[in-house]
Amino acid sequence: MPVDFHEVLFPLDVALRGSGGPVRLTEIVTLASGREHRNSRWADSRRRYDAGFGVRSLDALHAVLAFFEERRGRLHGFRYRDRVDWRSGPPSRAPTPTDQPLGLGDGARTAFPLAKTYGGGASAYRRAIAKPVAGSVRVAVAGREIAAFACDPATGLLTLAAAPAPGAAVTAGFAFDVPVRFDTDDLTVNLEAFTAGEIPRIPLVEIVP
């Protein structure tokens, strides 16, 4: 992550009711015959959110305004908790050390970046996880949980105390946040509309390393 990233979490009570998810960019060309040629412009998806749906009181709105000002609008990134996708396994289950494959030992390698795989087979998508929740990471080597490791919560890099034997599977479970920034420098609030039930728009976009 760039140096203009603040390791702070967006107000969790607001994030709980936010909306959003992954976005991809696909070009589709329709030929005269009706057939299509499709091409993905992005190798990775990018998440977008609208946190405005989570603002249910003036106090919550005030907290978001303070957070926005401290981040200087779009200038500084921060952590966002996507409650649909914030664990290495299902959101209803605590992480286990065998949730996600990270790689195989070769007798020398000790560093393994955290990742989460979606789907299976040849079309599975592997997503880099750069913002694990501190203290949530559990690790196993060849199916046995280990405690001798360190994981940087700012980068998601897992470092084992000893290199796994050649062919030994390294797996991990963890909770994680999404690195995002505000996608606007103009946070406009109409209090009359707000009291009538209209929620202000608070767009967020994932920061891609």
Side-chain angles (χ1 to χ4, degrees):
M1 286 295 117
V3 294
D4 54 354
F5 188 90
H6 293 174
E7 292 290 343
V8 294
L9 186 64
F10 185 81
L12 190 57
D13 58 335
V14 177
L16 285 174
R17 300 183 180 90
S19 66
V23 177
R24 288 189 173 273
L25 182 60
T26 305
E27 286 185 340
I28 300 177
V29 177
T30 303
L31 306 179
S33 63
R35 294 182 177 178
E36 293 181 344
H37 285 175
R38 295 181 294 277
N39 179 56
S40 179
R41 293 289 303 276
W42 296 347
D44 298 303
S45 57
R46 190 179 193 186
R47 280 149 178 79
R48 289 186 176 273
Y49 304 98
D50 187 346
F53 294 98
V55 177
R56 301 297 178 90
S57 69
L58 289 178
D59 285 348
L61 180 56
H62 181 268
V64 172
L65 286 173
F67 194 90
F68 177 85
E69 291 284 34
E70 193 172 6
R71 306 287 87 73
R72 307 296 194 270
R74 295 186 293 177
L75 183 60
H76 297 292
F78 52 92
R79 289 171 174 258
Y80 181 82
R81 184 70 50 83
D82 181 348
R83 292 310 295 261
V84 173
D85 188 7
W86 66 289
R87 283 176 165 170
S88 49
S92 61
R93 191 193 73 197
T96 73
T98 58
D99 281 346
Q100 295 294 327
L102 302 185
L104 299 177
D106 61 6
R109 179 185 179 191
T110 58
F112 295 83
L114 293 185
K116 181 174 181 179
T117 301
Y118 297 79
S123 296
Y125 172 62
R126 184 178 175 88
R127 175 189 178 189
I129 301 298
K131 298 296 177 183
V133 175
S136 72
V137 180
R138 300 177 65 184
V139 179
V141 175
R144 297 183 62 179
E145 186 168 10
I146 63 171
F149 69 88
C151 186
D152 187 344
T155 64
L157 182 64
L158 173 70
T159 303
L160 307 184
V170 179
T171 58
F174 43 82
F176 63 95
D177 299 317
V178 183
V180 302
R181 62 167 172 79
F182 286 102
D183 199 22
T184 181
D185 278 324
D186 180 9
L187 201 59
T188 303
V189 178
N190 183 331
L191 284 181
E192 182 178 359
F194 177 76
T195 56
E198 182 176 320
I199 304 300
R201 184 172 178 268
I202 307 172
L204 311 174
V205 62
E206 183 177 8
I207 299 172
V208 178

